[in-house]
Amino acid sequence: MALLRERSAAAPAPGRPAPARRYGLALAVLGVALAWSVHRLLPGVPMLTAAVVLGVVAAHLPRLRTRVRTTARPGLSYAGRRLMRAGIVLLGLRLAFDDVRALGWGTAAMAVGVVTCTLLGTWWLGRRLGLPGDQPLLIAVGYAVCGASAIGAVGEARGSDERDAATSVALVTLCGTLAIAVLPLLQGVLGLDDAEFGRWAGASVHDVGQVVATAQTAGGAALGEAVLVKLMRVALLAPIVAAVALGVRRGRGRAAGAPRVPLVPLFVVGFLAAVTLRSTGLLPKAALDTAHLAQELLLAAALFGLGSAVDLPALTRTGGRVAALGLCAWVTVAGLSYGGVLLVSG
């Protein structure tokens, strides 16, 4: 009886995270606070980008890296997966069906074409380069759809290794951050007016925050067009994740006793429900603003957790191939988007 009472006292209360998980989650909260501070001091740096970078730094600081890889790992992994799901659901509240219709069929078709070609081309090249695990698919979906959020969603559907997801997030975040500085310099060279530049940024830059940071350099007209096109790409996340889940389900179905994977993951259903709710127009602006803030905080915590799983020494072993894939994917999505914008504008 004494032993039973001792075990009962040591067990965490239902619904409450275990002590090790709480430690990792507390570290993720600290990372979010630091990322928010960086964004406040340097508005051109999106909070989500800062969160990934800080996670990578935490994983390699001499006095902190041991705890990040041991006692804090359960909580950081929980943030990278579970909080990512919640953030993706709330991301749906940024998109309404009227926004998609407002783009016009030409721009919508351009966005679908860019996503499809970038996804398939990058995935194929990554496999040809021999990248391990799910890295080819995760990098491809990150470039094609919406950066780290898409990587987290597809990684969840496939049950990808955390290190594959972390490497993919680091690469996509790096290129998206470079786009903030590079794309505005090319607007005049490529002969794009503000609206065209906004559509180009929305179709080619990866993360929503990076799109905003890139397009706002050309003014309000560019920013509005960029966000609409970007959200169209975000809307494609649901069918892509469903297709990935279907592929996993069929593959596991061939193995006796393998657990069945749901055709549409629950967080994707939540994402679509959030889009539908936003489309009704019932939510007041204050509620949408609160949801947007919660989404940013949840995704920042998730990306800090994923960033903390990056192992730079291990990354250097495939660094050349990863860098080659990232460069090719970046050129592909930028080139296809530019051509699509000119075609639609013409």
Side-chain angles (χ1 to χ4, degrees):
M1 290 296 292
L3 179 61
L4 181 61
R5 285 194 299 270
E6 184 177 317
R7 288 181 177 177
S8 177
R16 296 179 63 186
R21 187 182 294 173
R22 287 203 297 268
Y23 183 85
L25 288 174
L27 188 58
V29 170
L30 176 60
V32 171
L34 291 174
W36 178 83
S37 300
V38 170
H39 175 63
R40 293 285 293 179
L41 291 172
L42 303 170
V45 179
M47 185 171 70
L48 301 187
T49 300
V52 175
V53 174
L54 288 171
V56 175
V57 171
H60 296 85
L61 285 176
R63 294 188 178 182
L64 189 58
R65 62 187 176 191
T66 301
R67 292 189 177 183
V68 166
R69 295 171 184 173
T70 55
T71 55
R73 192 70 258 153
L76 291 172
S77 297
Y78 181 91
R81 292 183 177 273
R82 302 288 181 150
L83 299 188
M84 177 70 77
R85 296 178 190 175
I88 290 170
V89 170
L90 292 179
L91 185 61
L93 291 177
R94 302 187 66 176
L95 178 67
F97 296 129
D98 286 340
D99 295 333
V100 178
R101 285 194 293 268
L103 286 174
W105 289 109
T107 303
M110 181 268 289
V112 172
V114 168
V115 168
T116 302
C117 293
T118 303
L119 174 62
L120 297 179
T122 305
W123 189 8
W124 174 84
L125 181 58
R127 297 181 67 180
R128 294 285 294 178
L129 289 172
L131 293 185
D134 286 339
Q135 287 184 23
L137 175 60
L138 297 179
I139 293 172
V141 78
Y143 275 89
V145 186
C146 54
S149 301
I151 291 170
V154 172
E156 277 290 311
R158 281 192 60 84
S160 301
D161 185 273
E162 188 177 28
R163 288 169 295 183
D164 289 342
T167 299
S168 304
V169 165
L171 177 66
V172 172
T173 300
L174 173 62
C175 289
T177 303
L178 291 175
I180 297 173
V182 173
L183 263 62
L185 299 177
L186 298 177
Q187 180 182 358
V189 176
L190 297 177
L192 298 173
D193 61 30
D194 290 346
E196 291 171 340
F197 176 74
R199 287 193 289 271
W200 185 42
S204 61
V205 182
H206 319 313
D207 181 78
V208 176
Q210 293 166 344
V211 168
V212 172
T214 303
Q216 68 185 2
T217 61
L223 181 58
E225 293 287 330
V227 170
L228 285 177
V229 174
K230 180 60 191 176
L231 291 180
M232 177 63 197
R233 291 168 65 195
V234 171
L236 297 175
L237 179 62
I240 289 173
V241 173
V244 169
L246 178 61
V248 173
R249 186 176 184 178
R250 288 178 174 175
R252 291 185 179 179
R254 300 189 186 99
R260 292 182 66 82
V261 177
L263 178 59
V264 181
L266 186 60
F267 69 90
V268 175
V269 176
F271 173 85
L272 294 174
V275 174
T276 303
L277 180 60
R278 169 66 187 272
S279 301
T280 64
L282 297 176
L283 292 178
K285 184 177 183 301
L288 292 175
D289 290 342
T290 301
H292 175 55
L293 175 61
Q295 170 231 310
E296 288 282 300
L297 295 176
L298 287 168
L299 289 181
L303 293 179
F304 181 87
L306 284 177
S308 70
V310 173
D311 186 353
L312 293 180
L315 182 60
T316 57
R317 290 194 287 271
T318 56
R321 287 174 290 162
V322 169
L325 179 60
L327 179 60
C328 290
W330 195 18
V331 171
T332 297
V333 69
L336 289 172
S337 302
Y338 177 66
V341 167
L342 293 183
L343 183 63
V344 171
S345 300

